[in-house]
C-alpha cells in the first residue's frame, strides 16, 4: 500500500503562522487500515472517499508512535476502511486539515512571517510511508508580495501559484519569502532567496557553475538543469537538497566563506551530487550509498580544482576521525537516525569508495560513476545489490564480498 499522487490546495498565512489545506490522495492497493502521518499541530477537518457515487466519511484515531519513528514532529492517524473498499486497486481519499506547524528536530521546516520552508520532515501534507515517491500538483494561495520556489516545474501563463510534477518525487518541498527581501533575478545567478547576505556569496557563483558543469561531465545530465542554491532565514539545520533546490541558512559567518571557501564549495558539490544519488531509503542502511557517493564524488571532483594535497588531507582527516571515535558499530547495523550515522554513512562510506577508486583506477571509477548515476536516475529504489552489479560490470571481481567485509564489520582503519 502506498500513496502514488497528491493533489494539494494550500492556503498559507505566514504572519499568523497557520495554514489550511485540502488534498486528494491516490492510494494504491489500500489495506483495511490506512495509517496517515501529519504534523503534530495540524487538525483533521474531514476525511472522506467517494466510490460509485457514495460518500464514505472516516473518523481518524490517533495511533501510538514507535520510538524509532522518523518524523518526530508528526502524529500517526488510523482510518478503517469498510469491507467494500478493501479490495480496490486504487482509492481516492479526500482530506481537509488546518493549523500550525511544529518544526522538525533540525528546525529546517517552518511557517513564519520571515519565511516559509515546508517539506516531508514536518508532514505538512499527509504521508503514508516516507519512502513513497509521489507525483503531485500544488495550488498555493499565499500572501501578496511573496515569491516562491519548489522542487518541480511551475506552470507558466498562470495567474496563480501552481506546480506540477508527473515524475514521482520523495518530497513536496516549498520555500517562500517576501519579494522585497529577495535576491533580484534580473541577471543570471544560481542563487535564490534572501538578499540580506547575498553579497557574501555572490563571488562564488562562478565556482558553483563550474563545479556543476564538472559533475555533469562525469555523471551526465540531471533530471532538472535549472537548480538554485536557496538562501533561507533559518538559524541552523545545514543544507537540504531536493531535485532542483539546495536550501541553506544565509547567516554563515563571512570568515567561513573567505577562509574556508574550499570546504564550503565541497559541501555544495556534495549536495549537487544528490540530484543524481537520491534513491535509497532513509529507513534502511542502504542510505549509506547516496551519502557516501555524494561525499566522495565531491572529493573526487574537487581534487582536480583544489589539488592532490587538498584531496589527501581530506582523506587523512576522515581516517583520523574514525580512529578517534569510540563505540563504532557495523555500518549495516544502523539507519540514518543512529548517532554515528554521519560518521559511518558519509565519512567511512567515502573511504570505501576511495579504496574502490584506488583499486580500479581513475578512468574506470569515472565509468562506474557514469553507469551508477544512470541506474540511479532510472530506478525507483537503490540498494547495495545495485552497487555490486554496477561495479562488477565495470570491473569483474567479487565486489559483494568486498563490500560485505566493509559494511558487516566495525570499521578498522
Amino acid at each position: 500500500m502506498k500513496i502514488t499522487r497528491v493533489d494539494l490546495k494550500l492556503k498559507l498565512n505566514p504572519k499568523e503562522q497557520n495554514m489550511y489545506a485540502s488534498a486528494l490522495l491516490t492510494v494504491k492497493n489500500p489495506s483495511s487500515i490506512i495509517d496517515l502521518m501529519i504534523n503534530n499541530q495540524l487538525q483533521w477537518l474531514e476525511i472522506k472517499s467517494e466510490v460509485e457515487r457514495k460518500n464514505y466519511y472516516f473518523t481518524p484515531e490517533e495511533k501510538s508512535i514507535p520510538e524509532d519513528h522518523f518524523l518526530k514532529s508528526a502524529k500517526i492517524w488510523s482510518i478503517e476502511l469498510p469491507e467494500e473498499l478493501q479490495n480496490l486497486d486504487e482509492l481516492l481519499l479526500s482530506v481537509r486539515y488546518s493549523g500550525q506547524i511544529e518544526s522538525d528536530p533540525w528546525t529546517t521546516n517552518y511557517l513564519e512571517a520571515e519565511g516559509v520552508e515546508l517539506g516531508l520532515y514536518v508532514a505538512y501534507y499527509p504521508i503514508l510511508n516516507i519512502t513513497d515517491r509521489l507525483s503531485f500538483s500544488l495550488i498555493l494561495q499565499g500572501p501578496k508580495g511573496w515569491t516562491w520556489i519548489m522542487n518541480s516545474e511551475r506552470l507558466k501563463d498562470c495567474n496563480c501559484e501552481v506546480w506540477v510534477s508527473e515524475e514521482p518525487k520523495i518530497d513536496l518541498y516549498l520555500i517562500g519569502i517576501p519579494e522585497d527581501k529577495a535576491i533580484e533575478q534580473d541577471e543570471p545567478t544560481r542563487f535564490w532567496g534572501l538578499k540580506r547576505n547575498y553579497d557574501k556569496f555572490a563571488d562564488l557563483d562562478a565556482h558553483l557553475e563550474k563545479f556543476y558543469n564538472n559533475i555533469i561531465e562525469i555523471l551526465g545530465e540531471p533530471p532538472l538543469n535549472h537548480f538554485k542554491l536557496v538562501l533561507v532565514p533559518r538559524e541552523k539545520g545545514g543544507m537540504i537538497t531536493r531535485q532542483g533546490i539546495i536550501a541553506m541558512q544565509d547567516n554563515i559567518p563571512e570568515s567561513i566563506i573567505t577562509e574556508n571557501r574550499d570546504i564550503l564549495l565541497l559541501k555544495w558539490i556534495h549536495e549537487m551530487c544528490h540530484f543524481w544519488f537520491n534513491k535509497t531509503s532513509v529507513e534502511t542502511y542502504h542510505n549509506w550509498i547516496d551519502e557516501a557517493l555524494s561525499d566522495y564524488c565531491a572529493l573526487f571532483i574537487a581534487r582536480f580544482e583544489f589539488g592532490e594535497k587538498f584531496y589527501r588531507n581530506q582523506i587523512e582527516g576522515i581516517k583520523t576521525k574514525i580512529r578517534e571515535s569510540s563505540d563504532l558499530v557495523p555500518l549495516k547495523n544502523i539507519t540514518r537516525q543512529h548517532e554515528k550515522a554521519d560518521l559511518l554513512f558519509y565519512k567511512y562510506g567515502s573511504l570505501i569508495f576511495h579504496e574502490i577508486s584506488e583499486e580500479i583506477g581513475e578512468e574506470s571509477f569515472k565509468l562506474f560513476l557514469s553507469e551508477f548515476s544512470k541506474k540511479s536516475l532510472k530506478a525507483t529504489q537503490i540498494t547495495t545489490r545495485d552497487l555490486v552489479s554496477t561495479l562488477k560490470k565495470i570491473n569483474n571481481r567479487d565486489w559483494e564480498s568486498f563490500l560485505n567485509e566493509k559494511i558487516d564489520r566495525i570499521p578498522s582503519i
Side-chain angles (χ1 to χ4, degrees):
M1 178 176 62
K2 62 181 180 179
I3 295 176
T4 58
R5 184 175 180 87
V6 174
D7 292 291
L8 180 64
K9 294 180 180 178
L10 192 62
K11 183 177 180 180
L12 297 179
N13 186 338
K15 186 177 180 180
E16 300 297 328
Q17 299 183 15
N18 61 35
M19 60 179 283
Y20 169 84
S22 62
L24 184 65
L25 314 176
T26 303
V27 184
K28 186 176 180 180
N29 300 322
S31 302
S32 58
I33 302 292
I34 298 178
D35 291 336
L36 294 174
M37 292 179 278
I38 202 162
N39 192 271
N40 287 335
Q41 295 191 33
L42 291 173
Q43 304 294 322
W44 295 111
L45 301 176
E46 182 180 75
I47 302 178
K48 71 173 185 177
S49 182
E50 182 180 345
V51 178
E52 295 180 350
R53 297 186 180 182
K54 180 179 178 180
N55 283 323
Y56 296 84
Y57 292 88
F58 304 101
T59 301
E61 294 187 5
E62 188 175 347
K63 188 175 179 180
S64 60
I65 299 174
E67 288 186 8
D68 61 349
H69 185 50
F70 186 78
L71 300 182
K72 302 299 183 184
S73 60
K75 291 180 179 178
I76 302 175
W77 299 86
S78 289
I79 62 172
E80 184 174 357
L81 298 184
E83 188 174 346
E84 59 267 33
L85 301 185
Q86 293 180 18
N87 295 316
L88 298 175
D89 293 332
E90 188 175 271
L91 177 70
L92 298 180
L93 271 182
S94 176
V95 303
R96 292 189 300 111
Y97 55 95
S98 65
Q100 296 186 317
I101 291 292
E102 178 181 317
S103 187
D104 57 282
W106 309 279
T107 64
T108 56
N109 285 203
Y110 46 87
L111 172 56
E112 299 173 352
E114 293 76 23
V116 171
E117 191 173 356
L118 296 174
L120 171 76
Y121 291 165
V122 288
Y124 79 97
Y125 56 92
I127 294 166
L128 188 57
N129 310 295
I130 63 170
T131 54
D132 286 348
R133 292 183 177 269
L134 320 171
S135 61
F136 65 86
S137 66
L138 191 154
I139 301 174
L140 174 66
Q141 181 182 343
K144 291 182 179 179
W146 276 55
T147 182
W148 301 86
I149 193 170
M150 202 173 181
N151 61 325
S152 65
E153 299 286 352
R154 181 174 174 175
L155 288 190
K156 299 177 180 178
D157 303 320
C158 180
N159 293 327
C160 51
E161 312 278 359
V162 181
W163 294 266
V164 175
S165 175
E166 297 305 328
E167 176 195 354
K169 298 186 179 180
I170 199 169
D171 204 350
L172 283 66
Y173 210 81
L174 177 67
I175 301 173
I177 55 172
E179 282 183 348
D180 61 356
K181 297 181 180 180
I183 298 167
E184 295 179 5
Q185 299 292 305
D186 297 336
E187 298 182 8
T189 175
R190 285 290 183 185
F191 288 90
W192 190 96
L194 292 176
K195 63 183 177 183
R196 63 185 183 186
N197 290 319
Y198 171 55
D199 288 346
K200 294 193 292 187
F201 297 94
D203 290 342
L204 298 180
D205 212 331
H207 295 282
L208 193 63
E209 192 70 23
K210 181 179 181 179
F211 279 119
Y212 187 57
N213 290 329
N214 290 344
I215 298 170
I216 290 174
E217 284 183 15
I218 296 176
L219 302 185
E221 291 294 328
L224 288 176
N225 200 25
H226 56 270
F227 93 90
K228 292 289 186 179
L229 201 154
V230 181
L231 304 176
V232 294
R234 52 181 156 86
E235 295 299 314
K236 57 182 181 178
M239 300 182 194
I240 291 181
T241 301
R242 298 294 182 264
Q243 199 176 91
I245 290 176
I246 299 172
M248 61 174 284
Q249 65 260 37
D250 74 327
N251 63 346
I252 294 177
E254 191 166 358
S255 60
I256 291 179
I257 301 171
T258 55
E259 298 170 18
N260 293 286
R261 185 202 65 167
D262 293 352
I263 299 300
L264 179 60
L265 286 168
L266 191 66
K267 290 181 179 180
W268 286 349
I269 301 169
H270 170 109
E271 298 301 334
M272 286 188 281
C273 287
H274 274 308
F275 297 155
W276 288 265
F277 303 126
N278 56 33
K279 294 293 181 63
T280 59
S281 169
V282 296
E283 293 185 306
T284 71
Y285 75 90
H286 297 294
N287 189 238
W288 82 272
I289 299 172
D290 284 342
E291 298 304 345
L293 257 184
S294 296
D295 218 53
Y296 184 69
C297 263
L299 270 177
F300 187 79
I301 290 167
R303 180 183 197 173
F304 304 108
E305 181 71 17
F306 300 153
E308 187 70 21
K309 182 178 179 181
F310 174 87
Y311 173 81
R312 293 294 168 184
N313 285 343
Q314 294 302 309
I315 294 295
E316 288 306 313
I318 293 172
K319 290 180 178 179
T320 299
K321 285 182 180 179
I322 292 172
R323 290 191 195 105
E324 294 177 350
S325 182
S326 59
D327 301 324
L328 290 180
V329 295
L331 184 156
K332 198 172 183 178
N333 290 2
I334 66 170
T335 66
R336 275 283 294 277
Q337 293 170 272
H338 193 276
E339 61 179 355
K340 299 290 185 179
D342 283 356
L343 182 62
L344 293 172
F345 281 19
Y346 291 66
K347 301 308 177 187
Y348 177 61
S350 290
L351 292 185
I352 295 174
F353 285 111
H354 168 67
E355 187 172 336
I356 293 171
S357 175
E358 295 278 285
E359 288 202 21
I360 67 177
E362 184 179 298
E363 292 306 314
S364 291
F365 192 75
K366 284 182 180 179
L367 286 175
F368 155 70
L369 290 176
S370 176
E371 286 293 319
F372 196 69
S373 66
K374 292 173 186 175
K375 177 175 284 193
S376 294
L377 291 179
K378 292 178 181 177
T380 302
Q381 193 166 87
I382 287 289
T383 68
T384 305
R385 182 176 294 179
D386 298 299
L387 181 61
V388 169
S389 65
T390 306
L391 282 168
K392 191 171 183 179
K393 181 178 179 180
I394 300 302
N395 184 285
N396 191 18
R397 59 163 282 188
D398 186 6
W399 290 106
E400 185 171 9
S401 295
F402 171 88
L403 287 170
N404 284 340
E405 184 177 342
K406 299 295 182 184
I407 66 179
D408 285 348
R409 300 178 182 178
I410 295 173
S412 177
I413 304 300

